[in-house]
Amino acid sequence: MKLFQPEEVIIERGSEESPICRNLRNALPGVPFRIVETIPSGEFAYAPQAFAAAKKKLLVTRHKGEFLKKCPGSDGQVCCNYFVINFASNCPMDCSYCYLQEYLADNPALKVFSNIGDLLREADDLLSKHRGVFFRIGTGEIADSLALDRYIGFSREVIPFFAEQPNVLLELKTKSDCVDALLDLDSKGRVVVSWSMNPQRVIESDEDGTASLDERLAAARRCQDAGYRVAFHFDPMIEYFGWEKDYAQLIEQMFATVDWRRVAWLSMGVLRTTPDLKRTMRARFPRSHLITGEQVLCPDGKLRYFQPLRVAMYRKMLGWIRGAAPTVKLYLCMESKEVWQQVFGFAPSCERELGNQMAPHL
């Protein structure tokens, strides 16, 4: 994996004594640090061609809103009752299809939030008030969970807390192989490390700066050997000439590397874009074949492959997965009940039902 290193770390006044800043100074002795009274927003004005440049400096600031919120999901699609923690904003990697290009268009700077204590207090308040509810919480909505971990040490700050909570699983979702800091921590079965998965062909063409397929699988095996359960997300699945062979080989290689009985869950979801994201992709990645694939506008405003094609792709993946891992938990991401019914023969009656299906049996 190509190692990311910021050109400069800019620290907003009030964050300089935080554990995040301490970890950064220890990990980046050769990188200049600058303390400012407020983050200079004009310094990171956005244009599509400058999106990658906005990530070259790392900003450290306090998060002034709520850290924890329910996954926004998508109108008319089955939701998996997932919650998200936004500990950072943007990603040092640069995937051609990344929705952050649109979502963070007005705020593209690479940021990490320093007030981890507030994050943990907020999580403790939610979990302690609802002990009878199982929560699945992820940190990978607007940032890769582990891509910056070797510098900021986020995992070591939060895993000990979540390890003691009886009604939660914390998911650390990544396209990196940055798992070293996790391996000597005892998560007590309350932390799942997961990877977004695609064939190596897609990684090379459309997932710049990410770990290779072999590196992701090796990292997953190391996590399993250290006692973690792992998860995998085939999302976005890409349709192209020869995709069946590539994805079938990916699944074969995956289950030859990891123990499927210690896989917490798998998910599937096809490539989703919007008209605005398509335009940004065309400006930033004019050679990507993803901007020429045929998609239709769905009721939630997202562009997807035609429904019959999506169903056919999911059914083939389901067959390959069940052949290797007969009882692994598997769900669809941002798909309608109609698609669920055609793929699995059933559809969850509500988001709580689907969320409870992901609960561990510890």
Side-chain angles (χ1 to χ4, degrees), residues 243-254:
W243 75 270
E244 297 99 328
K245 178 181 177 182
D246 288 352
Y247 278 89
Q249 289 178 344
L250 163 58
I251 291 170
E252 180 181 4
Q253 182 180 353
M254 187 176 83

Side-chain angles (χ1 to χ4, degrees), residues 341-354:
Q341 192 70 43
Q342 292 183 61
V343 175
F344 292 109
F346 72 92
S349 59
C350 64
E351 61 185 36
R352 179 66 61 84
E353 177 187 345
L354 180 54

Side-chain angles (χ1 to χ4, degrees), residues 86-129:
N86 291 326
F87 74 98
S89 180
N90 217 332
C91 173
M93 303 169 186
D94 204 17
C95 297
S96 67
Y97 53 77
C98 182
Y99 83 102
L100 296 181
Q101 298 170 94
E102 177 186 7
Y103 188 75
L104 297 177
D106 296 324
N107 189 19
L110 182 60
K111 297 181 198 172
V112 60
F113 301 120
S114 61
N115 47 328
I116 301 300
D118 293 338
L119 183 162
L120 296 179
R121 281 187 288 273
E122 192 176 321
D124 184 59
D125 185 59
L126 175 70
L127 297 173
S128 61
K129 284 183 178 178

Side-chain angles (χ1 to χ4, degrees), residues 130-191:
H130 304 281
R131 287 301 188 198
V133 178
F134 167 72
F135 291 90
R136 195 161 60 107
I137 300 177
T139 61
E141 183 195 23
I142 59 172
D144 185 283
S145 295
L146 296 175
L148 295 173
D149 202 56
R150 69 180 76 213
Y151 302 138
I152 65 175
F154 175 75
S155 63
R156 301 190 74 86
E157 300 293 335
V158 300
I159 286 178
F161 166 81
F162 283 97
E164 300 299 328
Q165 308 306 310
N167 58 328
V168 69
L169 280 179
L170 175 69
E171 182 179 18
L172 302 175
K173 184 178 179 182
T174 189
K175 290 179 183 171
S176 77
D177 60 352
C178 303
V179 299
D180 290 350
L182 282 62
L183 302 181
D184 64 345
L185 298 176
D186 182 6
S187 72
K188 301 181 181 178
R190 296 296 172 183
V191 177

